Amino acid sequence: MARTSSDIALKAREAGEASARPKPRLDLFKFVPFRLNRLAAEVSSALSVEYQERHGLDIPAWRVIATLGFRNDACSAQFIAQCTRTHKSTISRAVTALLNGNLIERVENEADRREFRLQLTKKGRALYEELFPQLLRREDEILACLSAQERRQLSALLGKIEQSLDLIQTSEEADAKQAY
């Protein structure tokens, strides 16, 4: 099909108008991954006051203690890294510091004697037992802006997102999948 000069002029005018229109941009404040990350960082920072200022624990060390504290059995550092979505080198440094502080200890893995698992010492268990009520209280303060029904809805919605991403949601599920 032959192009006429009016066709060419029309195309040029349309191209000029298209480039003059503002291009759509990503609004980070409406982008769910950004919002979730920002909320997680802020909540984590707010909670860290409870264990950082009072006990000298950083966030990765608390993650190790918290993971070991809610479990009945010892687990590997790899499990903790997977569970908390924290890089294994960060968990490794936290484990070393906690071993040196006598808050955790290594125990032999009965199934594989080449591998060691981690568990809280009596001192570590006492620290966990002291801290978790304080952290639950702080969580309540953070969520005070939500009604009880909104809290349940938030929990259910977060669970749906976790499930859609195939994230382990309970220690029983982790044990069943042998995810450590």
Side-chain angles (χ1 to χ4, degrees):
M1 180 188 307
R3 289 184 143 186
T4 65
S5 60
S6 62
D7 288 339
I8 295 170
L10 179 62
K11 292 281 186 202
R13 190 173 36 244
E14 287 173 352
E17 289 172 4
S19 66
R21 278 185 242 133
K23 293 180 181 177
R25 295 176 57 192
L26 175 67
D27 183 346
L28 282 179
F29 296 104
K30 293 180 181 173
F31 188 55
V32 172
F34 174 80
R35 294 174 72 191
L36 289 172
N37 186 59
R38 193 169 74 145
L39 273 170
E42 202 60 32
V43 169
S44 186
S45 177
L47 292 175
S48 73
V49 170
E50 297 295 331
Y51 52 79
Q52 208 160 31
E53 290 180 4
R54 294 185 180 127
H55 301 282
L57 299 173
D58 61 9
I59 291 171
W62 167 249
R63 288 178 181 169
V64 171
I65 289 173
T67 304
L68 295 174
F70 88 92
R71 292 184 50 81
N72 293 323
D73 300 327
C75 66
S76 68
Q78 180 182 355
F79 174 84
I80 296 168
Q82 288 174 343
C83 180
T84 64
R85 291 297 196 247
T86 305
H87 195 275
K88 61 184 178 181
S89 65
T90 302
I91 293 298
S92 178
R93 284 190 295 275
V95 163
T96 299
L98 293 169
L99 285 167
N100 291 338
N102 197 32
L103 293 168
I104 65 172
E105 62 189 354
R106 287 186 176 114
V107 293
E108 256 186 24
N109 179 355
E110 302 273 329
D112 182 353
R113 295 197 181 269
R114 295 171 296 168
E115 179 187 75
F116 286 94
R117 295 194 177 221
L118 304 168
Q119 67 183 17
L120 294 175
T121 60
K122 285 183 183 179
K123 180 179 173 184
R125 176 62 59 190
L127 178 60
Y128 175 79
E129 297 295 333
E130 176 187 340
L131 281 173
F132 86 79
Q134 296 168 2
L135 295 171
L136 290 175
R137 194 170 33 259
R138 186 70 177 112
E139 178 191 37
D140 280 342
E141 291 169 9
I142 292 167
L143 296 177
C145 63
L146 302 176
S147 69
Q149 180 181 354
E150 289 170 328
R151 287 183 190 201
R152 288 189 299 273
Q153 288 173 328
L154 176 62
S155 181
L157 293 171
L158 290 173
K160 284 179 89 167
I161 294 169
E162 289 168 337
Q163 189 174 26
S164 77
L165 295 171
D166 200 29
L167 294 176
I168 293 170
Q169 295 177 311
T170 66
S171 56
E172 292 81 14
E173 184 183 353
D175 289 341
K177 290 183 177 181
Q178 296 185 353
Y180 49 88

